[in-house]
Amino acid sequence: MTGFAAFVGRAAAEGRLVVQPRMGMASPGQMRAGLLAVLGARATAAGTLTVDSYTRVGDHRAALTALRDGARLNGYPIVSHHPDTTRAVLDGLAGLPVQVRHGSADPRAIFGALAAAGLDATEGGPVSYCLPYSRKPLRDSVGHWTEACEGFSGHLETFGGCMMGQLCPPSLLVALSVLEAVFFRHCGVRSVSLSYAQQTSPGQDAEAIRALRALAGRFLSDVDWHVVVYAYMGVYPRTPSGARLLNDNAARLAVRAGAERLIVKTVAEAHRIPTVAENVDALESAAAAAEAAGFEESTEDTGVLAEATALVEAVLDLPGDPGAALLAAFRRGLLDVPYCLHPDNAGHARCHIDDTGRLRWSSVGAMPIPRSVVDRDSPSGSASLLAALHRVAHLHDA
Amino acid sequence: MNNLVLLSGTASDSHTWNLVYLQLLLEETGYRVVNLGACVPPALLADECEAEQPALVVLSTVNGHGYQDGPRALVELRSRPGLAAVPVVIGGKLGIGGPEPDRADALRAAGFAEVFDDDTAITRFREFIASHALCRTAGTAS
Ligand code: B12
């Protein structure tokens, strides 16, 4: 087990949820100050180096130009900073496991940089860091991710449970998260976590996280794994109280459904990159909410596990290794992400939020999901799309 | 009458809900839209512009690199002989610290026809495309 995974495992054994920010600044000094603040937070916290967008798309020249000009970046350019610089950022932070969060369809340079700095944990996936993050063909992403994973001995988290951040039905999120973890394992990674991002309905989310655990138990029995929940990844409440409530609800969801780790969101989310203080506040608030919450044995079954299982099995039944199977699945539309503009996504699937707040299919395209689950058309027109995107924010701001 | 809008993300920005939304809004207003999607490098944007000859180019970015990526895209467009005059606007969350009026003004000075970077963005954009449509009709008639 890696240092990162061992930390999460110890906390879980003691019944504590690990909370983690999404935090990244261009300047090494500020980055270090941020990590120190996380270490000092009243919470069982892991640290994050969130990478900037230039590094994500492989434009290291633009990242270097920004560093030279003192232009502000939305993250830490880990490839452009020298490994010694990053080691200095991390120096003396032994008690704090740190994960690198990026969003790159070609993560090879990032994997190299984090290993050179002595780090052992990162995240992503060939599908989830291509379709919503890049123009690269999915085939290239699968190739790059295969290469990066094959030389990697640390802990790797799937981002598949967060496709598009919002408006993706839970069964597809669960299936993608499992499939990416299966891909990682095939490439030789021995320690993984499976992500799931809070969506529009607490009941449906708890059901989805249980489905994720069930499928992880079935398909990943020979590797170390845990589940990580992301606080809502779509349009966030604008008011501080609304933002705090949604973040706290994510912590409650994580505990209730038995997840081991939570990635938090701050009161700045709807507006701008958060400050260090706002990140610490979100960590402490989530930790307190988690402390007061309890695990719940069962949830109702509305079919999330059955749908996710059908998707995973249909993909893994395709010929070839998991990477080849994922490519074939997207080519045939067996996996089809709603509202995703990437050319390698079929683009026939659509969804909506029903009257009880659950995410439901409006169109399943060619996915192996019975058409009988489709109950209504998806929002069409800019106003109804915006209303669906803002629904969670409005409910929490009210 | 050319009612084509070229809609595009910027080179480093992968957000697309903004693009999906703006495409619908423009189509509802009577425009045809070519949506180039996310992470569009300046050269690709300029190539597509030369091929499509749009009446308006709309750049949308929310990742906080807009003040860097926006001007780079504009410089490339203006470097192409056929694209010296096509109006280009930009909007979204341009910096990482909320709206910055003087940097928006700097973008206008650099040649953006308009900058939509705050809570009034969509209202002002609707007005802009309405008046833009009027100008175009007037121009075609004369
Ligand atoms: C969903 C989301 C994602 C999804 C995107 C999925 C997808 N394919 O689109 C995922 C999870 C993948 C993602 C990734 C990232 N994200 Co993001 N994301 C969001 C989030 C939560 C919602 C955005 C959204 O969907 N809005 C819905 C659309 C319809 O609205 P909109 O984009 O806000 O656009 C509106 C206006 O800005 C305006 N507008 C936009 N463009 C234009 C253009 C014109 C001409 C006009 C008139 C108006 C206009 O009109 C729209 C309607 O009102 C926002 C925070 C929030 N708002 O709550 C962060 C946010 C935009 N993300 C952010 C960042 C930094 C990133 C990352 C770099 C990761 C990171 N460091 O945190 C990566 C992007 C990587 C890259 N290469 O750039 C930051 C940007 C910071 C800033 N600008 O200050 C935000 C604000 C979060 C934050 N506070 O840190 N993200």
Side-chain angles (χ1 to χ4, degrees):
Chain A
M1 218 186 282
T2 67
F4 187 87
F7 178 87
V8 175
R10 273 196 308 277
E14 291 163 13
R16 279 178 289 113
L17 181 72
V18 172
V19 291
Q20 185 183 342
R22 354 179 124 261
M23 194 170 79
M25 306 82 167
S27 130
Q30 284 176 18
M31 193 69 243
R32 179 170 171 78
L35 290 169
L36 280 168
V38 171
L39 184 61
R42 283 180 307 256
T44 306
T48 304
L49 284 180
T50 294
V51 170
D52 72 287
S53 292
Y54 290 128
T55 305
R56 289 166 186 248
V57 298
D59 191 352
H60 306 300
R61 206 174 56 163
L64 281 169
T65 305
L67 286 180
R68 193 197 54 211
D69 299 349
R72 289 192 290 168
L73 293 175
N74 59 14
Y76 181 82
I78 192 165
V79 176
S80 300
H81 283 310
H82 194 276
D84 290 344
T85 304
T86 305
R87 281 184 183 276
V89 165
L90 300 164
D91 185 43
L93 293 176
L96 184 75
V98 174
Q99 184 193 40
V100 175
R101 304 192 64 91
H102 55 106
S104 186
D106 182 357
R108 291 173 297 179
I110 295 170
F111 274 53
L114 71 93
L119 287 163
D120 77 342
T122 183
E123 46 95 59
V127 173
S128 60
Y129 272 0
C130 181
L131 295 189
Y133 275 97
S134 174
R135 306 184 74 79
K136 273 188 199 298
L138 190 57
R139 172 172 299 283
D140 294 358
S141 180
V142 167
H144 298 326
W145 272 91
T146 304
E147 210 182 297
C149 290
E150 279 170 358
F152 183 72
S153 58
H155 177 85
L156 198 49
E157 165 189 325
T158 68
F159 194 76
C162 179
M163 289 299 286
M164 309 304 288
Q166 54 204 329
L167 292 188
C168 184
S171 59
L172 181 57
L173 296 176
V174 168
L176 287 168
S177 209
V178 171
L179 288 165
E180 288 194 323
V182 169
F183 170 91
F184 293 161
R185 186 192 57 178
H186 181 81
C187 296
V189 178
R190 309 315 303 166
S191 177
V192 301
S193 43
L194 298 97
S195 67
Y196 179 80
Q198 177 187 24
Q199 301 289 320
T200 54
S201 152
Q204 191 183 33
D205 286 340
E207 181 184 344
I209 295 166
R210 276 164 213 285
L212 185 59
R213 299 195 80 88
L215 289 174
R218 176 169 157 203
F219 289 99
L220 299 163
S221 56
D222 57 348
V223 293
D224 161 60
W225 63 268
H226 71 262
V227 167
V228 52
V229 170
Y230 300 169
Y232 192 62
M233 291 292 284
V235 176
Y236 221 69
R238 297 180 66 86
T239 62
S241 61
R244 230 172 257 126
L245 176 62
L246 187 52
N247 185 51
D248 289 354
N249 284 342
R252 294 181 188 109
L253 169 69
V255 172
R256 171 181 172 201
E260 287 88 349
R261 184 160 57 93
L262 173 75
I263 312 279
V264 303
K265 284 230 167 163
T266 74
V267 295
E269 174 63 19
H271 309 284
R272 52 172 170 76
I273 297 281
T275 62
V276 170
E278 286 162 341
N279 268 305
V280 169
D281 186 57
L283 292 172
E284 295 185 341
S285 183
E291 191 67 45
F295 177 71
E296 283 172 29
E297 206 50 67
S298 71
T299 41
E300 70 177 307
D301 182 357
T302 66
V304 175
L305 177 60
E307 267 181 31
T309 305
L311 290 166
V312 171
E313 286 178 349
V315 177
L316 295 181
D317 278 350
L318 295 169
D321 62 25
L326 280 168
L327 286 173
F330 275 98
R331 207 164 42 237
R332 296 185 196 183
L334 294 179
L335 295 172
D336 189 347
V337 180
Y339 302 100
C340 172
L341 296 178
H342 195 287
D344 290 333
N345 186 59
H348 300 306
R350 284 288 178 273
C351 64
H352 65 273
I353 305 170
D354 76 10
D355 300 334
T356 68
R358 286 167 184 260
L359 275 169
R360 302 278 295 268
W361 294 106
S362 311
S363 159
V364 296
M367 286 186 285
I369 295 175
R371 262 145 239 278
S372 55
V373 304
V374 172
D375 78 328
R376 169 186 319 166
D377 283 349
S378 55
S380 61
S382 63
S384 49
L385 176 70
L386 212 57
L389 291 169
H390 283 261
R391 187 177 188 280
V392 168
H394 283 157
L395 283 174
H396 289 78
D397 277 335
Chain B
M1 173 179 108
N2 174 2
N3 66 340
L4 182 70
V5 171
L6 197 79
L7 173 64
S8 176
T10 49
S12 77
D13 193 350
S14 63
H15 292 90
T16 51
W17 288 106
N18 45 329
L19 301 173
V20 172
Y21 168 74
L22 288 168
Q23 173 166 6
L24 290 172
L25 187 147
L26 283 160
E27 286 171 351
E28 288 159 9
T29 321
Y31 285 90
R32 280 190 306 127
V33 176
V34 171
N35 185 345
L36 298 183
C39 297
V40 181
L44 174 63
L45 176 70
D47 290 350
E48 293 290 333
C49 258
E50 285 178 337
E52 302 286 350
Q53 294 293 320
L56 175 67
V57 177
V58 176
L59 298 184
S60 168
T61 174
V62 297
N63 74 347
H65 289 181
Y67 298 120
Q68 287 112 285
D69 289 346
R72 282 181 197 143
L74 189 64
V75 165
E76 180 67 27
L77 288 174
R78 294 301 183 232
S79 76
R80 307 281 179 103
L83 302 177
V86 60
V88 184
V89 300
I90 188 167
K93 297 183 196 298
L94 300 180
I96 63 168
E100 295 173 63
D102 30 324
R103 298 186 83 182
D105 284 340
L107 290 178
R108 291 185 185 97
F112 282 99
E114 207 23 283
V115 180
F116 306 94
D117 63 337
D118 55 22
D119 285 348
T120 66
I122 293 301
T123 314
R124 286 194 294 119
F125 185 59
R126 284 183 191 278
E127 289 163 12
F128 177 87
I129 51 180
S131 61
H132 190 75
L134 286 177
C135 298
R136 250 185 313 108
T137 317
T140 319
S142 61

